[in-house]
Amino acid sequence: MYLFPPASCPRLVVKIGSALLVDPDGGVRRAWLEGIAADIAARVVEGQQVAVVSSGAIALGARRLGLSKGGRASLEDAQAAAAVGQIALSQVWAETLGAKGLTAAQILVTLDDLEHRRRYLNAAATLDRLLGLGVVPVLNENDSVATEEIRFGDNDRLAARVAQAAGAQGVVLLSDVDGLYDRNPALPGAQHVALVERIDAAIEAMADRGSASGMGSGGMVSKIAAARIANAAGAHLAIVSGRVERPLSAAARHTLFVAEKAAPARKAWLAGGLTARGTIHVDAGAARALATGSSLLAAGATRVEGDFARGDLVVIAGPDGRHLARGLAEYPGEDAARIAGHRSDAQADILGYAPRSALVHRNHMALL
């Protein structure tokens, strides 16, 4: 039986990498894509709602514009290639899915669309309505307007965020690799890891930063980051080999990252955030308190970095620099830095106003 059957996974997000969809010459691999469309159609017939996150716009546009390095020589080249290639990509998906009796919809998003709470909720509502109507949304990052500083940079993490917004129970990352290995799979003796029940430092150390094809932008590091986001939202994630025909129905080799119990929607959104305006470093005592569900008090902070306002997303880092949590700041960065390390009875004198109970309240915090 294939991964994520409809009975246990009413909604599924499938991500397709550039190296699978586009051949080395910059043309669409239509026969392979037709097999994907057939797999999606079969799942829809069985009652599953499917959204697709599709790479390929930059690669397709680069071919049409004659740009070197697959359109990735510069940000300007990538933006131009994406603008041209996105038209071709959406047309291919509309034709291929249409041939199977399915209606496709195009959604282009930026990082800000899913990091800004209100825009995230708007995107979630659109996805919910489209999927409820039996439409197959095809999403991609809006590379024509994205900048180096404000972009996903890879569609692995975008797929995980889309799954979170759509309330999906499963994510499939179809890739030119067949999953996680304990070291670079090109090295002798590399062992395939079929199941990951918890993402820890040992799992992260296995990640290789390269993309095997050189065409895409996501390596294993981005895939593990995507698994963290999906798992935090209660969705299982599988890295699956797309180097086979009909990979959504075949027993393709893969690595499955198992989700634990889903966090509440708001906290899952916080945990999955990719941008932060600052970092609050804490001592060992505060780190232990956070792990038990406590708010972050100023007395436990050792250092504050960043120029952030009240309500901005910040990262909380432990004594070793490891990220422990994400949350919404109760103070602007300047004031947080002034009271860091001070007990509550001294904070009013330092700030000149009555202090709030915490730097980051537990109700607005998600542990990582």
Side-chain angles (χ1 to χ4, degrees), residues 12-21 32 36 40 50-56 93 137-140 153-163 170-177 211 213 215-220 222-223 226 237-242 247-248:
L12 177 70
V13 173
V14 179
K15 178 261 180 178
I16 298 175
S18 296
L20 298 176
L21 193 141
W32 182 86
I36 292 292
I40 293 173
V50 181
V52 174
V53 173
S54 176
S55 303
W93 275 109
V138 180
L139 301 96
N140 196 5
D154 63 79
N155 275 351
D156 298 320
R157 293 179 298 172
L158 173 57
R161 270 304 225 182
V162 167
V171 181
V172 173
L173 303 181
L174 292 179
S175 179
D176 50 359
V177 296
S211 174
S213 66
M215 185 180 298
S217 56
M220 192 54 64
S222 73
K223 290 173 175 54
L237 181 142
I239 303 169
V240 181
S241 172
L248 294 179

Side-chain angles (χ1 to χ4, degrees), residues 195-206:
L195 183 68
V196 176
E197 295 182 328
R198 186 174 185 273
I199 301 173
D200 54 21
I203 293 298
E204 291 180 333
M206 297 178 187

Side-chain angles (χ1 to χ4, degrees), residues 268-285:
W269 174 76
L270 286 170
L274 300 176
T275 58
R277 297 299 300 272
T279 302
I280 301 175
H281 297 264
V282 302
D283 59 28

